[in-house]
Amino acid sequence: MTISDVSPARIQDRTAELAEIRARAVAGPDPEATERQHAKGKLTARERIEALLDEDSFHEIEALRRHRATGFGLEGKKPYTDGVVTGWGTVHGRTVFVYAHDFRIFGGALGEAHAQKIHKVMDLAVAAGAPLVSLNDGAGARIQEGVTALAGYGGIFQRNTRASGVVPQISVMLGPCAGGAAYSPALTDFVFMVRDTSQMFITGPDVVRAVTGEEITHNGLGGADVHAAVSGVAAFAYDDEAGCLEDVRFLLSLLPSNNRETAPREHSGDPADRRTDALLGLVPAHPNEAYDIRVVIGEIADDGEYFEVQPAWARNVVCALARLDGHVTGIVANQPSVMAGVLDIHASEKAARFVQFCDAFNIPLVTLVDVPGFLPGVGQEHNGIIRHGAKLLYAYCNATVPRIQLILRKAYGGAYIVMDSRSIGADLSLAWPTNEIAVMGAEGAANVIFRREIAAAEDPDAERAQKIKEYRTELMHPYYAAERGLVDDVIDPAETRSALIGALAMLRAKHADTPPRKHGNPPV
């Protein structure tokens, strides 16, 4: 039968039937399930997609998909969508792919059809070169489908890995995520969580209690604040879904669509040559006085606006995305107000991950240095500070995007080298006239170099003070590194913004050849 043999009335009937089926797919199999979702303070999968994407931009795919499993009562329950809504839309006018678990259907549990829908939208995201956002609210693998469900997770993990560094991947945790399901978010670039409603853990409280005897709640084990401040798994934590999804939109506005593009430029009224006179009073000249580096970032950034990543974890280093003259820039900075800005295991991991992300997606890097060194201690050494510190070193050495180092005050020892010094490939190194670059602080250096003279002196304290002054005068004056070409220029702090913007403009077309290799072998 050809299309000409079909009467108009029959086509109209089929169209009406299609509309009815689509309506059933959108409504879900149980109206009360929507009420239960709302009673928990949670949006439905489609409501979340509407909040994430631009209005009326969502294009759904495989809305009519159903599972084909049998046994354990599944043959009598074949709802449309199979518990996951997939498709694409736009955020600020740019294409974004999305999938959202529908907790109303099988508790959002993953089965074969469910997984295949996710595989398809992930493949489309890579093919189209557009970001992928997952809205997670599921009960893990669908037990009734056995190993088929587990294989579905394997396909997701493989695609997460293949898409890594190709398109931005963002995981938004809006419900429970247990067992192997937690590894997909861990493979993505950023994890967002909502307090009280989302949890992530490999084994739940019941298993923990049975195996170790420890008593703990779901939130205490894997809630938003735990992963944002203790484990470092989550980059962001929010009180509600609306605020969470709004910040996902904002993050997407700062990112390129894929690794072949640059982040969109957004012009502001903030002049590129604006003086930053406030910095003259914000940063104390004395190396032991604390201040908040975030105030410095705010002075430098367009309109004082920046987006800090993992603000609650490893707070002794700050990682943020900001615009300088409209261009998105990654900023890594020591935080003197927390642990004096010292580098430790967690800070090294946090900064390394951020540097790798920026390099993968063509975001230039500015490193603000005020670091006294690596944190000493038995715990740090036994837990692998050498290995973890090397992660940050590797990330910087491997990065080919424009890289500018700015030394504000102290820069001591190996931490100075690791914080993107010229010796590991920074394109430019700038410094304020308050900079102190040395193997260690003057006090420690004098105690090592002049220990015999100090011990033999009639007045050891006076001799020590004299030797400290001598060391500082000879080796730690602000122009020592500049005289040896390790700092390209010493600048007035009031000209910091214009100096950075000018340097980034010069480097915008930077091209760096890398040696042919399958991949490196970074420390893990």
Side-chain angles (χ1 to χ4, degrees):
M1 180 183 295
T2 64
I3 190 68
S4 59
D5 297 323
V6 180
S7 67
R10 182 157 178 77
I11 293 177
Q12 292 172 357
D13 291 342
R14 288 297 189 188
T15 302
E17 180 185 36
L18 173 61
E20 180 185 350
I21 292 173
R22 287 191 180 279
R24 284 161 50 195
V26 170
D30 181 6
E32 294 182 359
T34 300
E35 296 178 10
R36 290 192 295 269
Q37 186 81 344
H38 288 163
K40 297 176 184 176
K42 297 162 66 174
L43 301 175
T44 65
R46 295 179 186 278
E47 289 169 342
R48 289 164 174 164
I49 291 173
E50 289 176 5
L52 172 67
L53 301 178
D54 296 337
E55 187 175 0
D56 296 327
S57 70
F58 182 53
H59 298 267
E60 188 172 357
I61 56 175
E62 294 202 6
L64 307 185
R65 186 71 178 263
R66 288 169 147 172
H67 73 77
R68 56 184 181 181
T70 58
F72 304 102
L74 285 180
E75 62 274 7
K77 298 178 181 178
K78 293 192 175 185
Y80 292 114
T81 75
D82 200 46
V84 64
V85 181
T86 57
W88 76 91
T90 60
V91 173
H92 301 298
R94 295 191 299 146
T95 300
V96 172
F97 287 82
V98 61
Y99 69 85
H101 299 295
D102 192 340
F103 198 82
R104 303 174 305 167
I105 299 174
F106 299 131
L110 181 138
E112 178 192 30
H114 184 122
Q116 287 177 349
K117 289 181 65 175
I118 294 174
H119 296 169
K120 178 176 288 187
V121 79
M122 294 178 79
D123 290 342
L124 282 172
V126 172
L132 174 71
V133 179
S134 63
L135 305 178
N136 298 271
D137 186 7
R142 196 173 299 169
I143 298 172
Q144 299 94 321
E145 295 195 32
V147 70
T148 306
L150 295 178
Y153 273 122
I156 293 173
F157 302 157
Q158 182 194 45
R159 286 167 173 81
N160 283 137
T161 303
R162 292 180 64 184
S164 181
V166 179
V167 296
Q169 299 180 83
I170 297 173
S171 298
V172 188
M173 314 311 296
L174 301 167
C177 185
Y183 284 117
S184 176
L187 289 168
T188 60
D189 299 306
F190 299 100
V191 175
F192 288 70
M193 293 188 73
V194 177
R195 295 182 178 93
D196 298 327
T197 60
S198 62
Q199 302 89 30
M200 297 173 66
F201 35 69
I202 300 301
T203 55
D206 293 341
V207 177
V208 170
R209 185 185 307 111
V211 174
T212 71
E214 296 171 286
E215 292 285 347
I216 194 164
T217 65
H218 286 79
N219 281 322
L221 182 62
D225 287 323
V226 168
H227 286 309
V230 180
S231 73
V233 170
F236 311 97
Y238 297 86
D239 291 329
D240 56 65
E241 293 190 16
C244 176
L245 293 172
E246 184 58 36
D247 264 7
V248 174
R249 287 176 55 86
F250 181 63
L251 176 59
L252 286 167
S253 75
L254 295 169
L255 305 181
S257 292
N258 55 65
N259 64 342
R260 300 183 301 277
E261 300 180 7
T262 57
R265 186 182 185 190
E266 186 175 294
H267 295 276
S268 75
D270 199 348
D273 60 354
R274 169 172 59 79
R275 287 179 60 84
T276 50
D277 293 289
L279 295 179
L280 294 168
L282 284 173
V283 180
H286 195 284
N288 294 333
E289 289 186 38
Y291 64 94
D292 191 342
I293 194 66
R294 293 174 299 181
V295 181
V296 176
I297 295 172
E299 283 295 318
I300 296 170
D302 289 358
D303 301 317
E305 186 176 66
Y306 61 91
F307 193 54
E308 187 176 355
V309 177
Q310 293 182 302
W313 185 62
R315 296 186 302 114
N316 43 324
V317 70
V318 173
C319 300
L321 294 169
R323 284 193 168 90
L324 294 178
D325 195 29
H327 296 279
V328 177
T329 304
I331 298 176
V332 179
N334 305 114
Q335 175 56 291
S337 67
V338 179
M339 299 169 60
V342 69
L343 286 177
D344 63 356
I345 289 173
H346 288 164
S348 299
E349 289 183 319
K350 173 180 172 178
R353 174 78 167 162
F354 184 74
V355 168
Q356 288 175 168
F357 174 82
C358 290
D359 185 53
F361 291 104
N362 309 310
I363 298 172
L365 287 159
V366 169
T367 304
L368 305 180
V369 183
D370 192 346
V371 61
F374 281 94
L375 180 65
V378 175
Q380 288 287 305
E381 296 293 349
H382 286 188
N383 285 298
I385 183 60
I386 296 173
R387 174 167 52 88
H388 293 288
K391 293 179 182 178
L392 180 55
L393 185 61
Y394 189 99
Y396 270 126
C397 291
N398 201 46
T400 60
V401 292
R403 292 156 49 190
I404 301 173
Q405 179 195 52
L406 173 61
I407 302 165
L408 308 185
R409 283 195 315 186
K410 56 188 177 294
Y412 297 159
Y416 153 67
I417 299 172
V418 169
M419 290 297 290
D420 205 20
S421 63
R422 279 295 305 274
S423 59
I424 66 168
D427 297 294
L428 284 174
S429 178
L430 306 176
W432 285 0
T434 48
N435 82 83
E436 291 184 354
I437 306 174
V439 175
M440 63 177 68
E443 292 81 1
N447 287 334
V448 173
I449 298 172
F450 306 111
R451 64 183 182 276
R452 292 181 180 176
E453 291 93 328
I454 293 172
E458 293 184 6
D459 186 346
D461 291 338
E463 183 72 11
R464 181 181 293 106
Q466 175 60 33
K467 294 302 183 182
I468 290 172
K469 181 179 179 181
E470 181 181 330
Y471 184 84
R472 182 173 280 120
T473 301
E474 291 294 324
L475 295 178
M476 294 183 67
H477 64 78
Y479 308 105
Y480 185 86
E483 291 170 359
R484 285 151 181 79
L486 297 175
V487 166
D488 293 289
D489 196 11
V490 179
I491 64 171
D492 182 341
E495 298 174 355
T496 299
R497 173 175 161 85
S498 59
L500 291 175
I501 288 174
L504 289 169
M506 177 273 293
L507 290 166
R508 194 148 293 127
K510 174 187 175 183
H511 173 75
D513 291 319
T514 56
R517 60 181 176 182
K518 186 175 183 180
H519 57 74
N521 184 25
V524 294

